[in-house]
Amino acid sequence: MGIFSGLFKSRDKLQNSTAGSSYTFFMGGSTAGKYVNERSAMQMTAVYSCVRILAEAVAGLPLHLYRYTDSGGKEKAIDHPLYLLLHDEPNPEMSSFVFRETLMTHLLLWGNAYAQIIRNGKNEVIALYPLMPNKMSVDRDENGQLYYTYQRSNEEAPTMKGSSVILKPSDVLHIPGLGFDGLVGYSPIAMAKNAIGMAIACEEFGAKFFANGAAPSGVLEHPGTIKDPSRVREAWQSQFGGSSNSGKVAVLEEGMKYTPISISPEQAQFLETRKFQINEIARIFRVPPHMVGDLEKSSFSNIEQQSLEFVKYTLDPWVIRWEQSIMRSLLTPEEKKTYYAKFNLDGLLRGDYQSRMNGYAIGRQNGWMSANDIRELENLDRIPAEEGGDLYLINGNMLPMRDAGAFANTTTNDDGKEETPDEEVLELDESGTDGDDSGNENSAPQRHHRRGKLV
């Protein structure tokens, strides 16, 4: 068995590296002949636009740390040290917006976002610093435990020696994207390098087309033999090549003839191809075309719905990745029972002013929203509680049948308090008066508020 011992291995045995820790081999040349990586892809306007839209959207969302209350509700945990880091300033060098924008850009380009967690002696998180994903690798030790290896360059920390740093999982905030092993995400740029490479090729073709004077290349035919064809070609290019020489009149000598050999951009459907590649890139990042400038399929009737779908189907999955990674890496097991991080998407889901007011009116009239609930959503100051700002009202016509007439036997005295009258009922005679006023011909029917009705 010693000969075959190396051929058979346990499938479930932990290896020394993760299955998705290395994905650089997906980078490189595309079928269109263009080299594609994260940085070259960002030179494409469609890629840059999609990455910027998603990164700024996540960075601009309010991020709060909440705690559960004893009454079953929730409140902002402003006194927790992590609240300030997430909401305002994760480190002394950047704001929360810049920090989240940077990590979200890493996540969209490399498929992973990393940040180093700095803790004090009490094991409290005091700072978060972004780390470049292309310098990070995830592996396992001999015991099967994960660890992170960061390749540090001298430009990043010239005062520190050594080329690599080993970090424990508790020291790294790792937000993985879509991947094969659940530990490391794969780069969307790497997965779609052929589509992006074709878009780069189309853009380069268009640039060279106009650089050559928007004229197709061709052949200079000579009836005889040219001793120095390179000199003729260079002379032609210097005189008539480039956009600055477009429109010049060419004078051919010695029976020479110019014959174009390339098809026109219209025949090659150049513009249609470029438009399709923009939609292809928008499809990779699941961004609606109208958000990258393509309004062909958008109208006043559907653009608002497309924007809401962008929040629901595009932003929401990314937000969930952020929230769960923050809770997993930054909260202790005991804190996870009480605290949680939450992005506020209400601002993006709000409709137009009239729709919001109609919704607030329904909530107010049906008793599940108070005036202060509405004012907080509209970023208005609260109404004091003594003035009824926290009251929940309900339409009196909407009552359970068993409660109908429940307040018929009550009356209000001069002090404003409700009381129940005695059982005495004064009956009115046919003239509309009681017995004591029968001699008064000018007397009018007396109204007695007893039993809550006229008697």
Side-chain angles (χ1 to χ4, degrees), residues 28-235:
S30 62
T31 54
K34 298 301 175 183
Y35 186 83
V36 178
N37 59 17
E38 292 86 355
R39 300 186 185 275
S40 64
M42 281 291 282
Q43 295 179 342
M44 277 293 304
T45 57
V47 175
Y48 182 87
S49 179
C50 291
V51 171
R52 182 180 178 183
I53 288 171
L54 291 172
E56 292 179 346
V58 173
L61 292 174
L63 175 59
H64 300 284
L65 184 70
Y66 293 93
R67 70 162 61 92
Y68 296 107
T69 60
D70 296 336
S71 60
K74 67 179 187 302
E75 64 181 4
K76 295 178 182 178
I78 302 178
D79 55 342
H80 196 283
L82 193 58
Y83 184 91
L84 179 64
L85 298 180
L86 296 178
H87 186 266
D88 297 314
E89 188 177 289
N91 60 71
E93 299 175 356
M94 60 188 66
S95 63
S96 177
F97 182 95
V98 175
F99 174 78
R100 284 183 278 156
E101 182 185 43
T102 302
L103 288 192
M104 191 62 192
T105 302
H106 294 171
L107 190 54
L108 294 169
L109 294 179
W110 281 277
N112 295 275
Y114 302 96
Q116 184 179 4
I117 303 174
I118 307 299
R119 303 178 186 271
N120 58 13
K122 299 179 182 180
N123 201 31
E124 296 175 342
V125 181
I126 59 175
L128 299 169
Y129 288 91
L131 299 174
M132 290 300 295
N134 57 336
K135 298 181 180 180
M136 182 75 77
S137 61
V138 186
D139 299 291
R140 295 185 186 273
D141 58 17
E142 60 276 6
N143 299 321
Q145 300 297 321
L146 290 175
Y147 69 92
Y148 295 82
T149 304
Y150 188 72
Q151 301 296 329
R152 185 178 60 242
S153 61
N154 293 331
E155 291 79 6
E156 291 179 326
T159 59
M160 301 180 67
K161 304 298 181 181
S163 58
S164 62
V165 178
I166 305 299
L167 299 171
K168 297 182 295 183
S170 58
D171 296 329
V172 178
L173 170 61
H174 180 196
I175 307 173
L178 179 66
F180 294 160
D181 60 355
L183 298 175
V184 179
Y186 279 78
S187 169
I189 305 299
M191 295 291 103
K193 67 174 183 178
N194 289 328
I196 297 175
M198 185 174 179
I200 295 175
C202 290
E203 188 176 69
E204 185 176 330
F205 171 80
K208 290 184 176 180
F209 174 75
F210 287 99
N212 291 328
S217 60
V219 175
L220 286 173
E221 297 182 7
H222 193 277
T225 302
I226 301 177
K227 296 181 180 180
D228 191 0
S230 61
R231 183 178 62 84
V232 178
R233 181 173 56 250
E234 292 174 1

Side-chain angles (χ1 to χ4, degrees), residues 279 289-290 294-299 302-303 306:
N279 289 332
H290 77 272
D294 185 6
L295 300 176
E296 183 178 359
K297 300 295 179 63
S298 300
S299 62
N302 66 4
I303 196 168
Q306 291 183 42

Side-chain angles (χ1 to χ4, degrees), residues 3 24 53 165 202 214-215 224 321 326 355 427:
I3 301 176
T24 56
I53 288 171
V165 178
C202 290
R321 291 180 188 274
I326 289 173
S355 300
E427 297 183 357

